[in-house]
């Protein structure tokens, strides 16, 4: 009977009740609850990975731009590959994709 009486006295403690209510409020009910914090941490990690990816792409693009500005052979290669430019004494042949590539491209566009 003594343990039951001490247990009841323990749960009648107003400080314990307030502390328990505060913990429940902060962990589960509040706008910034534990689940929101975990979701935001996941989103932050995704954004940091995206930032690293784009910084790498920026460095690669800067390198390509510098190469195009200072290297005539690279500029000519870029113009030939992307704009299908040719010299006056050359003929340009554009080979269409294979049938399998066309099916894949059509499936991706739909």
């Amino acid at each position: 009977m003594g343990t039951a009486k001490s247990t009841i006295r323990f749960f009648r403690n107003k400080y314990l009740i307030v502390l328990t209510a505060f913990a429940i409020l902060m962990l589960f009910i509040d706008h910034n609850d534990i689940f929101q914090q975990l979701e935001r941490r996941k989103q932050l990690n995704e954004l940091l990975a995206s930032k690293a990816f784009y910084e790498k792409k920026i460095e690669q693009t800067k390198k390509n731009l510098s190469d195009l500005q200072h290297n005539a052979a690279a500029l000519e290669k870029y113009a030939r590959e992307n704009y299908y430019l040719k010299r006056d004494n050359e003929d340009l042949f554009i080979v269409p994709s294979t049938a399998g590539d066309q099916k894949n491209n059509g499936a991706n566009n739909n």
Side-chain angles (χ1 to χ4, degrees), residues 16-110:
L16 179 66
I17 292 171
V18 169
L19 181 65
T20 305
F22 180 74
I24 290 172
L25 177 71
M26 289 291 113
L27 291 175
F28 300 107
I29 299 173
D30 189 42
H31 177 69
N32 295 319
D33 62 358
I34 190 80
F35 304 110
Q36 288 292 325
Q37 293 296 328
L38 292 174
E39 182 67 29
R40 288 184 183 129
R41 184 167 300 196
K42 178 183 172 187
Q43 185 180 14
L44 176 65
N45 290 337
E46 290 172 357
L47 289 172
L48 289 174
S50 176
K51 179 184 174 186
F53 171 76
Y54 285 117
E55 285 177 344
K56 183 179 175 184
K57 289 294 261 185
I58 288 170
E59 289 300 319
Q60 182 181 11
T61 303
K62 284 181 181 179
K63 180 187 169 288
N64 289 343
L65 178 62
S66 174
D67 195 31
L68 289 174
Q69 289 175 340
H70 298 102
N71 189 351
L75 181 62
E76 182 179 349
K77 179 182 176 188
Y78 183 81
R80 287 173 175 269
E81 290 176 355
N82 295 321
Y83 297 110
Y84 304 115
L85 297 179
K86 64 180 186 72
R87 294 186 180 156
D88 289 335
N89 59 353
E90 291 180 336
D91 290 328
L92 182 65
F93 296 100
I94 299 175
V95 179
S97 301
T98 62
D101 290 341
Q102 290 176 354
K103 288 179 184 177
N104 291 338
N105 291 338
N108 292 336
N109 292 334
N110 290 333

